[in-house]
Amino acid sequence: ECIVSVAEALGEANAGGVTSVFEGVAVSGRDYSNLTEALDFVQKVDVVVMVLGETKDIETEGRDRPYTHLSGIQQQFAELVIAQDKPTVVVLANGGALAIDPLL
């Protein structure tokens, strides 16, 4: 595969270090079942790199979404992660504009 994931790229860049990956919540949907385990994971790491955004199923050329907020429960999840007081980098993977003002 010619396109690497954010996790794979970070792992390669962090040669000699430890890179751990945990999937928090889905891009869309309202499934909170992974939330406690995800927040426990955040407590065990030094730095969080959180990838948020949209997929081509939500927005693509010729099909715009009617909103600019994050889909599903990404916003709520991100706020809970940021509240854990760990250094956090937010990576946005999206094609159109996203309103992330509450995360700043």
Side-chain angles (χ1 to χ4, degrees), residues 4 6 11 19 41-43 47 49 51 58 62 68 72 87 90 92 96-97:
V4 298
V6 172
T19 302
F41 182 81
V42 167
Q43 287 302 309
V47 176
V49 177
V51 181
I58 296 172
T68 59
V90 176
L92 295 177

Side-chain angles (χ1 to χ4, degrees), residues 21-89:
V21 178
F22 192 91
E23 184 177 331
V25 297
V27 170
S28 58
R30 307 206 62 79
D31 183 4
Y32 287 86
S33 63
N34 216 18
L35 191 58
T36 300
E37 193 175 354
L39 294 176
D40 288 344
F41 182 81
V42 167
Q43 287 302 309
K44 298 174 186 171
V45 301
D46 296 325
V47 176
V48 175
V49 177
M50 183 169 35
V51 181
L52 304 170
E54 305 296 337
T55 67
K56 63 182 178 178
D57 297 327
I58 296 172
E59 179 176 46
T60 188
E61 189 64 38
R63 185 179 60 174
D64 295 332
R65 58 195 148 82
Y67 54 85
T68 59
H69 59 79
L70 290 163
S71 295
I73 59 170
Q74 292 182 90
Q75 177 78 38
Q76 297 90 332
F77 177 70
E79 290 171 358
L80 290 169
V81 169
I82 291 169
Q84 301 301 306
D85 252 357
K86 294 285 184 161
T88 302
V89 176

Side-chain angles (χ1 to χ4, degrees), residues 7-20:
E8 292 168 329
L10 287 172
E12 290 175 19
N14 191 24
V18 176
T19 302
S20 303

